[in-house]
Amino acid sequence: LYIYSGYMQERGKLGNTKVVTTVMSNFGLYKALDARGIGYEKTAVGDRYVYENMRANGHRIGGEQSGHIIFSKYASTGDGILTSLKLMEAMIAQKATMSQLCDGLTIYPQILKNVRVTDKAVAQADEDVQAAVKEVAAKLGDTGRILVRESGTEPVIRVMVEAPSQELAELFAWKGNISCVVEEPISEQVFGPELGQRVEDFLNLLLSGEAVAKKEEPKPAPADSVIPAVTWRQVCQDIFWVGGC
């Protein structure tokens, strides 16, 4: 999407049309398109919704991060062979390798957690869930994002977090996981009530930047930083995560 939309823009073929993406497209793609001045649309997950938007608005290129790219001039669904040919066209015309054409695009670490619930609508609308999402979004600011949505095929809430580092994305995804389970915190489901409460308290401390790993001297977190003073691996060690990380 990034390479070919840029190629279309350079040739004046993009015009007033936009790149159609889904809500699961990588945060780094949006930042890169913004930097190029290329507009975009966001749809629900699925080729069907991407193409519906393209057809309704006259957009010429769209797709999902899974690799399903649609060129509406030639097809109404993703086509791997067509996509390969189009990418080779861009590489040959611009006399550049694919890696060179990706300059300016940084893919952010993306964590997806599935939280099983009894009622998706109730869980999504829960005040605690909304508060947790707002808290994580505020801490990430323009350096990442959190997306909490209902699965269309399973009784689960999907929590997706993108952040500058893998550790930070994991941390905030866990925060979302715990808040999404309305009936019972996921930490209690996994660890039992007593240890589960310790896990939840520890993760809350991490979000506030006040926790450090065991066997280490306390180190105050920078006042202007949202990155906790421990790594995700240290978190796993501290809460005795079965199976390791």
Side-chain angles (χ1 to χ4, degrees):
L1 289 176
Y2 175 74
I3 291 174
Y4 205 82
S5 64
Y7 176 53
M8 292 175 68
Q9 182 190 50
E10 289 184 2
R11 294 183 301 146
K13 299 293 185 179
L14 199 58
N16 294 323
T17 67
K18 299 179 180 179
V19 178
V20 182
T21 69
T22 75
V23 293
M24 295 297 289
S25 295
N26 195 271
F27 183 69
L29 173 63
Y30 297 126
K31 292 183 75 71
L33 292 177
D34 285 338
R36 279 191 165 185
I38 297 176
Y40 47 81
E41 300 265 10
K42 295 181 183 180
T43 74
V45 175
D47 286 3
R48 164 191 169 186
Y49 301 107
V50 172
Y51 184 67
E52 282 180 356
N53 184 290
M54 296 175 72
R55 183 177 59 184
N57 299 289
H59 300 317
R60 302 183 61 185
I61 183 171
E64 300 186 272
Q65 69 173 0
S66 60
H68 297 169
I69 309 301
I70 301 174
F71 296 90
S72 61
K73 182 178 179 180
Y74 306 100
S76 59
T77 61
D79 187 311
I81 295 176
L82 177 60
T83 301
S84 298
L85 291 172
K86 285 295 185 181
L87 282 176
M88 286 189 286
E89 174 193 344
M91 292 166 64
I92 293 171
Q94 297 177 89
K95 296 181 174 59
T97 64
M98 190 174 295
S99 61
Q100 290 172 332
L101 294 177
C102 282
D103 283 348
L105 172 65
T106 300
I107 299 299
Y108 277 53
Q110 187 181 84
I111 301 297
L112 178 64
K113 302 289 186 182
N114 294 323
V115 184
R116 189 167 294 275
V117 296
T118 56
D119 189 313
K120 292 182 288 187
V122 170
Q124 181 84 321
D126 184 79
E127 291 183 2
D128 291 337
V129 173
Q130 297 298 322
V133 171
K134 288 180 181 178
E135 177 186 355
V136 171
K139 293 200 175 195
L140 285 170
D142 62 356
T143 66
R145 65 171 177 148
I146 179 171
L147 174 68
V148 178
R149 68 181 184 89
E150 300 176 26
S151 167
T153 57
E154 300 176 84
V156 300
I157 293 291
R158 303 198 194 280
V159 181
M160 189 272 285
V161 176
E162 292 168 319
S165 71
Q166 186 80 11
E167 290 82 6
L168 199 57
E170 285 276 8
L171 170 64
F172 285 129
W174 263 99
K175 175 65 176 176
N177 255 343
I178 291 171
S179 297
C180 271
V181 182
V182 177
E183 293 83 0
E184 179 182 28
I186 196 168
S187 53
E188 292 188 12
Q189 293 181 5
V190 175
F191 299 104
E194 184 176 351
L195 182 56
Q197 187 59 52
R198 288 175 57 195
V199 172
E200 188 167 1
D201 291 344
F202 187 69
L203 290 172
N204 285 331
L205 281 174
L206 283 175
L207 283 174
S208 67
E210 297 174 4
V212 295
K214 288 183 177 180
K215 300 181 181 179
E216 289 188 2
E217 292 298 321
K219 300 176 183 178
D224 59 346
S225 174
V226 299
I227 301 177
V230 293
T231 66
W232 179 244
R233 184 168 297 279
Q234 289 170 327
V235 175
C236 295
Q237 292 169 350
D238 194 90
I239 63 179
F240 312 107
W241 176 250
V242 178
C245 287

